[in-house]
Amino acid sequence: MTEPLRLSKRMSELGLCSRREADEWIARGWVRVDGVVVSELGSKVFPHQRVSVERQAAAEQSKRVTILINKPVGYVSGQAEDGYQPAIALVTAANRWAEDHAPQQFHPTQLRSLVAAGRLDIDSVGLLVLTQDGRVAKQLIGEDTSVEKEYLVRVSYNKPGKLPDSDLRRLNHGLSLDGKALKPAKVRWQNDDQLSFILREGKKRQIRRMCELVGLKVLGLKRVRIGGVKLGDLPTGQWRYLSADEQF
């Protein structure tokens, strides 16, 4: 017999929203199971039962914004730490890119529940996603995410000569971190001192640690793409909205 699941977990599995959003919608009476309103948190459902949400939920979700920042060095992705400012501090009306043609008007209420969907180290730069939309967060940082992230990485080799082809192959597939094999990556030379990395996972300081294992020192790291969304010409320290026709 199939075991029942928490309604919030089932809603997340169905791609309706995040678990946190699901609990909020359940508490507001916006969720129906087989046509009956369920408003008790912690309620369980069977996989075959039909889950639907009221129009108010979809309307509220459509107002939630996703913001792209070109993060400079010296800012942390999430909560402030050790005196360093979080990237969300850059999201002001003055810092919005002049060439952002999205129809949204900036309002400070958009900063509520705006969370980083993935990390970018304090000494790394480039594309960082902040979102109020639980669906976007789940897509980018959920356990089963397969969204590609592309980085340009300037390196120096700390041994005589050039990095052997065998070590370049190990960067593509064959390294382990924290006792666990890494998923296959796509790593190739862009020029004499710059590599392109395309990853489908994001362990802490992963690229720097991968490079250390083959004798490379990272001098600079920039994220230029997440899935189908590119950093493009967005200036350092500025931000724009994710447009309606962009998909990760």
Side-chain angles (χ1 to χ4, degrees), residues 12-202:
S12 174
E13 281 181 356
L14 291 168
L16 295 171
C17 56
S18 68
R19 288 200 205 184
R20 186 175 64 183
E21 285 172 325
D23 283 337
E24 186 184 318
W25 295 357
I26 292 164
R28 290 191 185 191
W30 290 353
V31 181
R32 292 176 182 264
V33 176
D34 292 337
V36 178
V37 172
V38 175
S39 56
E40 188 178 330
L41 293 178
S43 297
K44 295 195 172 184
V45 294
F46 288 99
H48 69 267
Q49 292 185 280
R50 190 171 65 85
V51 179
S52 58
V53 296
E54 301 295 318
R55 276 184 311 213
Q56 299 100 303
E60 182 163 296
Q61 199 171 49
S62 71
K63 294 180 204 162
R64 301 199 169 176
V65 299
T66 295
I67 283 171
L68 312 175
I69 295 181
N70 187 346
K71 186 188 89 66
V73 168
Y75 285 82
V76 292
S77 299
Q79 299 295 317
E81 56 184 71
D82 301 328
Y84 293 107
Q85 281 192 297
I88 195 173
L90 295 166
V91 185
T92 63
N95 268 356
R96 184 177 180 183
W97 188 26
E99 293 185 33
D100 181 12
H101 302 302
Q104 290 98 327
Q105 294 295 312
F106 175 70
H107 194 276
T109 55
Q110 293 168 354
L111 300 176
R112 290 184 202 148
S113 307
L114 195 65
V115 296
R119 286 189 303 265
L120 196 56
D121 298 335
I122 191 167
D123 42 6
S124 300
V125 302
L127 185 57
L128 179 68
V129 178
L130 301 178
T131 188
Q132 293 178 315
D133 192 331
R135 296 168 302 175
V136 171
K138 182 172 185 288
Q139 186 180 25
L140 297 187
I141 57 177
E143 290 174 17
D144 54 353
T145 183
S146 60
V147 175
E148 287 186 344
K149 299 177 180 72
E150 182 175 356
Y151 305 80
L152 296 180
V153 186
R154 201 157 51 84
V155 294
S156 65
Y157 191 43
N158 55 25
K159 298 177 186 176
K162 234 185 122 185
L163 181 76
D165 288 345
S166 58
D167 280 341
L168 182 64
R169 286 194 292 272
R170 287 175 67 211
L171 286 171
N172 277 272
H173 194 204
L175 296 177
S176 296
L177 290 177
D178 307 322
K180 193 171 178 185
L182 295 173
K183 292 179 182 177
K186 296 174 190 169
V187 185
R188 58 187 172 84
W189 287 105
Q190 290 284 100
N191 52 48
D192 287 346
D193 68 347
Q194 189 167 258
L195 288 162
S196 161
F197 274 74
I198 298 176
L199 305 180
R200 289 183 179 271
E201 60 189 329

